[in-house]
Amino acid sequence: MAAAESPVLALSGGVGGAKLALGLADELPPGKLHVVVNTGDDFSHLGLHISPDIDTLIYTLSGNANTTQGWGLEGETWNAMDALQRLEGETWFRLGDRDLATHLWRTDRLAQGDSLPQVTEKLARQLGITSHIHPMCTAAVRTTVHCEGRDLPFQHYFVKEQCAPVVTGFSFEGIADARPNERVVALLEGTAVAAIVVCPSNPFVSIDPILQIPGMWQALRDSRAPVVLVSPIVAGLALKGPAAKMMAELAVPVTALGVAQHYCEHYPGLLDYFVIDESDATLAPQITALGVEVAVTNTVMKSREDKQRLARFTLSLVGA
Ligand code: FO1
């Protein structure tokens, strides 16, 4: 049984992962939640460094996220985009007026020599977050979506083409030279981490980029902390985003079992527990046969209470 004050490490992409991260932050003592965030979606746009998943997480944890839209800030205005439109500039990726301040500030700090982890930590503190938000690495890793006949940078696939092209695979440019964020490595080596929670994020474009940084998944597996994954697929549908569509196109069964098979095949020995939804309870024996302990609960997070309840369930599984 882990001590109540031991830190918990979560792995997350954007919206779906941020929901559980919010529940975890609510349930844990201040400062005890550490979140490793995917930066494969980052890109340079209009001369600015955009880190969508980091911002979704920080806006969510600070209570500023536009939860209806799924990205950006609540109560946003769009004057800059309107002005850019009049100049016939690029407006397919919409940056709200206040969100722009985040990108301007981040780009400026990076140009002055701060690292992405330093900029991210400062942004989180400025917005009153006590949890620690760790970009997965300092190096630039960029997700490319391989589609039938062409390769697309992630945001071109996701936003410009609205996830319409049929995917055939993914690659993460720059990943071979990337190293896991050293603060995450230090946390895993130095403290008794109570649990590692893989949030219900897209396995292919949110969690794989984190785990495939050389040495990352092995460091997570070799830490003494139990690893719990919450399925992003419920009753054959993705909780959020294109995960189900991608699975179908990659001929992976669009079920929680398909998710479990993906992780067990690519990261053997990593998962200790797999949390699935009540509607998928009949899959439990097949997932157990992969060598992972299955726990069944309601995993759909609509309200703040849903997020807290799922966080409590996940933490209690591992005695954290
Ligand atoms: N998603 C969209 O579908 N359309 C947008 O115009 C858009 C703008 C945007 C701006 C800042 C930001 O941090 C995120 C933004 N997103 C937008 C979301 C983003 O593309 C996705 O959330 C992730 O990359 C997938 O996790």
Side-chain angles (χ1 to χ4, degrees):
M1 170 96 45
E5 57 278 0
S6 299
V8 167
L9 183 65
L11 274 55
S12 178
V15 184
K19 287 185 181 185
L20 183 57
L22 181 60
L24 290 167
D26 282 349
E27 293 300 313
L28 291 164
K32 291 302 171 191
L33 176 65
H34 292 251
V35 189
V36 189
V37 189
N38 169 44
T39 55
D41 298 6
D42 287 21
F43 75 136
S44 175
H45 184 61
L46 302 171
L48 301 173
H49 182 114
I50 319 279
S51 293
D53 285 357
I54 289 175
D55 292 345
T56 297
L57 200 69
I58 288 183
Y59 293 163
T60 301
L61 294 184
S62 63
N64 291 300
N66 182 332
T67 50
T68 317
Q69 185 174 249
W71 47 271
L73 288 158
E74 192 67 274
E76 189 58 281
T77 55
W78 303 93
N79 296 307
M81 281 295 107
D82 292 346
L84 191 60
Q85 177 95 54
R86 282 195 293 277
L87 296 173
E88 297 182 354
E90 279 197 69
T91 53
W92 60 271
F93 193 81
R94 299 191 49 77
L95 299 169
D97 296 332
R98 289 193 300 133
D99 187 35
L100 259 175
T102 303
H103 312 305
L104 288 165
W105 179 80
R106 172 186 290 121
T107 306
D108 182 51
R109 298 303 321 166
L110 291 170
Q112 291 189 40
D114 284 357
S115 67
L116 189 61
Q118 286 168 333
V119 176
T120 305
E121 185 77 4
K122 179 111 193 269
L123 180 63
R125 294 294 156 267
Q126 295 293 91
L127 294 191
I129 297 172
T130 58
S131 302
H132 303 276
I133 313 298
H134 305 288
M136 61 188 196
C137 59
T138 304
V141 171
R142 300 292 175 257
T143 298
T144 296
V145 184
H146 301 289
C147 305
E148 280 179 346
R150 65 211 168 114
D151 296 338
L152 294 173
F154 182 78
Q155 296 298 344
H156 286 240
Y157 163 80
F158 192 88
V159 176
K160 209 173 195 175
E161 305 222 8
Q162 299 284 295
C163 307
V166 174
V167 303
T168 55
F170 308 93
S171 55
F172 310 116
E173 315 311 331
I175 204 159
D177 297 323
R179 295 291 164 266
N181 183 326
E182 58 192 30
R183 294 182 194 193
V184 176
V185 175
L187 187 73
L188 290 169
E189 285 174 354
T191 351
V193 172
I196 296 167
V197 179
V198 185
C199 292
S201 295
N202 187 308
F204 308 107
V205 293
S206 296
I207 303 298
D208 278 355
I210 301 176
L211 295 179
Q212 288 181 22
I213 294 172
M216 180 70 96
W217 78 266
Q218 295 87 347
L220 295 166
R221 180 197 57 192
D222 296 345
S223 78
R224 278 169 301 163
V227 180
V228 190
L229 188 138
V230 179
S231 177
I233 298 289
V234 172
L237 299 171
L239 285 174
K240 188 77 197 166
K245 178 176 180 286
M246 288 172 171
M247 290 173 85
E249 290 166 358
L250 295 169
V252 174
V254 191
T255 60
L257 175 62
V259 174
Q261 285 167 334
H262 172 81
Y263 282 101
C264 291
E265 182 187 329
H266 294 278
Y267 313 106
L270 176 66
L271 298 186
D272 297 299
Y273 299 89
F274 197 84
V275 178
I276 61 172
D277 191 72
E278 287 158 354
S279 59
D280 294 320
T282 53
L283 297 170
Q286 288 163 278
I287 299 174
T288 308
L290 297 171
V292 181
E293 195 164 318
V294 178
V296 181
T297 189
N298 175 4
T299 62
V300 179
M301 293 174 281
K302 290 201 173 108
S303 66
R304 185 84 172 234
E305 290 68 34
D306 291 340
K307 298 173 180 83
Q308 294 165 346
R309 184 191 37 73
L310 184 57
R312 272 198 306 281
F313 180 87
T314 307
L315 294 172
S316 68
L317 261 183
V318 293

